[in-house]
Amino acid sequence: MSFLSSVRRTGVALLSAAALAALPVVGAQGVTGSAVAVAAEQRGGTAWQVGWAASPQAPTAPFGPNWSEQGFANHTVRQVVRVSTGGTKARIELSNRYGSTPLRITGATVARTDKGAAVRAGSVRQLSFGKGRSVTVPAGGTVLSDGVPFKVEALESVTVTLYLAGPTGPATFHHFSSATSYRADGDHRSDREGTAFKETSDSWYYLSGVEVSGGERSGRRDGVVAFGDSITDGVGSSPNTDNRYPDELAERFAATGKPRSVLNHGIGGNQVTNDTAWAGEKAVARFKKDVLSEPGIGTVIVLEGINDIGGSGWQGIPGGPTPEVSAKQLIEGHRTLIRQAHAKGIKAVGATLTPVKGSAYYTEVNEAKRDAVNQWIRTSGEYDEVVDLDRALADPADRDRMLPAYDSGDALHPNDAGFRVMAEALDLDTL
């Protein structure tokens, strides 16, 4: 089965200065929203942790139409996400990282999720930005809403609704969500029922984070980022079930009675060493934006490189083959990620590249590269810890192939059972 047909089959995709203190937005180099509100909460000692996150991507549609290229005009967009850790207050992060014009958010709400696009009665909370209901995010910028009282438990789903009255132009988004987003014409940000939301999409738009405070672990620097490509992103998992491997890891923490922030910064198709138009900036470039900017992170798990190997010379990859990458170049890319993490005091956990035999990525040359990279991850000692996901997923009868019970159907992406095994392979005491 080809990479593209696998994606279609699963229904998801592959893969402060005083002068600025009154402004409710920041530019491309800032990482906050309303300067006044954020400064006030910092003075009050509020400690925020990220309960959910997704890596922003440039508008693209390599596998069929979505809403990113056209954007929105007089639309309400409702998106459902599950937080890994709880608290008593919440705020959201919105990204216009890849927008070419300022983005006007007319209004936004957060609520507890009911079924589909519906939310629970009495749970809708209006969000503000510097005490105003609306906010403009500059091209390349990011904004945080003000915190709002909102008790949420670990592993609870929340619904974030954005009303976009004016034309937005092409939208910064996250392509492969393994979750359904909803769109309605007009302003339905406060609707409890979901009947107005007639359109759906399998991507997230503008929403890049949900942060919480007031939980038992607020202020602790023990968050975990899962960083990688489509296998981290959750391609192959069942839609709307939160069965990606970082979700399963969050469930393991919660089962101990000590939930921790577990963030998924995978991008389907992403590469360590090459930028691509449809799968984001290369990992060595986006790591600073997507991982190091997150508050309270203590550990990053790196699972990436199979697209560098498989994309070399393969005509089936969107946009055509990417430049040839040697095992040595890929290892140097991993070393760059380790150095970036260590410079911020973050523990780096290396995950071996998972089996690909039987997939469109498999050749003897590619397998030799995968083996060489995995041997370096296992034995070099350059990562602080190693999790051997290759061996966890491999078929004992053929170690180059994924065990059929863990295969989503393309011999490349795990299914729900495979993602569960990946999470179980991690030693919680080392994270």
Side-chain angles (χ1 to χ4, degrees), residues 18-381:
L20 297 177
L23 293 178
V25 296
V26 295
Q29 301 305 313
V31 190
T32 187
S34 125
V36 171
V38 170
E41 292 202 305
Q42 288 174 342
R43 288 194 299 271
T46 301
W48 292 95
Q49 288 188 311
V50 186
W52 172 89
S55 295
Q57 293 178 249
T60 186
F63 301 108
N66 58 57
W67 302 333
S68 69
E69 293 184 314
Q70 184 176 357
F72 307 93
N74 192 28
H75 286 122
T76 301
V77 182
R78 183 160 276 186
Q79 304 175 85
V80 178
V81 302
R82 189 179 76 165
V83 295
S84 56
T85 189
T88 57
K89 294 182 70 176
R91 66 183 184 183
I92 67 170
E93 181 187 74
L94 302 173
S95 176
N96 193 25
R97 183 186 294 179
Y98 299 103
S100 58
T101 59
L103 167 67
R104 182 68 172 173
I105 306 292
T106 310
T109 61
V110 63
R112 288 184 175 80
T113 305
D114 196 350
K115 294 181 180 179
V119 299
R120 295 186 185 179
S123 73
V124 177
R125 301 290 182 267
Q126 298 288 334
L127 295 172
S128 61
F129 303 84
K131 309 308 179 184
R133 295 298 193 199
S134 300
V135 68
T136 298
V137 191
T142 301
V143 64
L144 280 167
S145 73
D146 305 332
V148 62
F150 188 79
K151 184 174 175 57
V152 60
E153 302 293 337
L155 307 182
E156 185 175 356
S157 291
V158 299
T159 297
V160 176
T161 306
L162 309 177
Y163 176 47
L164 306 157
T168 65
T172 295
F173 82 137
H174 183 84
H175 200 337
F176 309 137
S177 63
S178 298
T180 302
S181 296
Y182 306 88
R183 184 166 74 173
D185 293 331
D187 183 2
H188 295 276
R189 74 188 102 163
S190 299
D191 285 17
R192 191 190 76 78
E193 301 293 341
T195 53
F197 294 87
K198 306 294 186 183
E199 301 176 85
T200 61
S201 171
D202 293 328
S203 300
W204 288 306
Y205 300 85
Y206 299 123
L207 184 64
S208 56
V210 176
E211 299 187 8
V212 296
S213 70
E216 291 183 5
R217 304 185 76 81
S218 289
R220 298 194 184 190
R221 191 181 175 190
D222 63 357
V224 178
V225 171
F227 183 79
D229 49 40
S230 59
I231 297 175
T232 297
D233 211 3
V235 171
S237 66
S238 299
N240 299 312
T241 60
D242 296 306
N243 282 331
R244 314 162 193 85
Y245 105 74
D247 300 320
E248 299 286 352
L249 178 59
E251 291 176 12
R252 289 192 63 203
F253 280 124
T256 69
K258 297 179 179 180
R260 284 167 63 177
S261 175
V262 180
L263 309 183
N264 188 333
H265 275 297
I267 294 181
N270 196 237
Q271 298 192 18
V272 175
T273 63
N274 293 313
D275 294 326
T276 60
W278 68 278
E281 297 171 82
K282 56 190 175 185
V284 293
R286 76 179 182 92
F287 193 82
K288 179 179 180 180
K289 305 172 187 177
D290 290 348
V291 177
L292 303 185
S293 65
E294 298 285 21
I297 298 303
T299 302
V300 60
I301 305 164
V302 177
L303 172 59
E304 187 149 12
I306 203 63
N307 292 312
D308 301 67
I309 295 171
S312 300
W314 182 45
Q315 296 295 328
I317 199 163
T322 52
E324 185 78 19
V325 176
S326 67
K328 182 178 180 180
Q329 289 173 306
L330 194 47
I331 289 168
E332 286 303 316
H334 277 258
R335 285 179 170 140
T336 298
L337 298 177
I338 294 170
R339 285 194 297 269
Q340 290 186 59
H342 286 172
K344 293 292 186 178
I346 295 173
K347 178 187 290 188
V349 177
T352 52
L353 304 182
T354 53
V356 298
K357 189 174 182 179
S359 77
Y361 278 0
Y362 182 81
T363 66
E364 290 186 1
V365 170
N366 286 352
E367 185 62 19
K369 291 181 184 179
R370 189 181 76 92
D371 287 343
V373 172
N374 281 350
Q375 180 68 5
W376 173 82
I377 292 172
R378 290 184 183 111
T379 65
S380 69

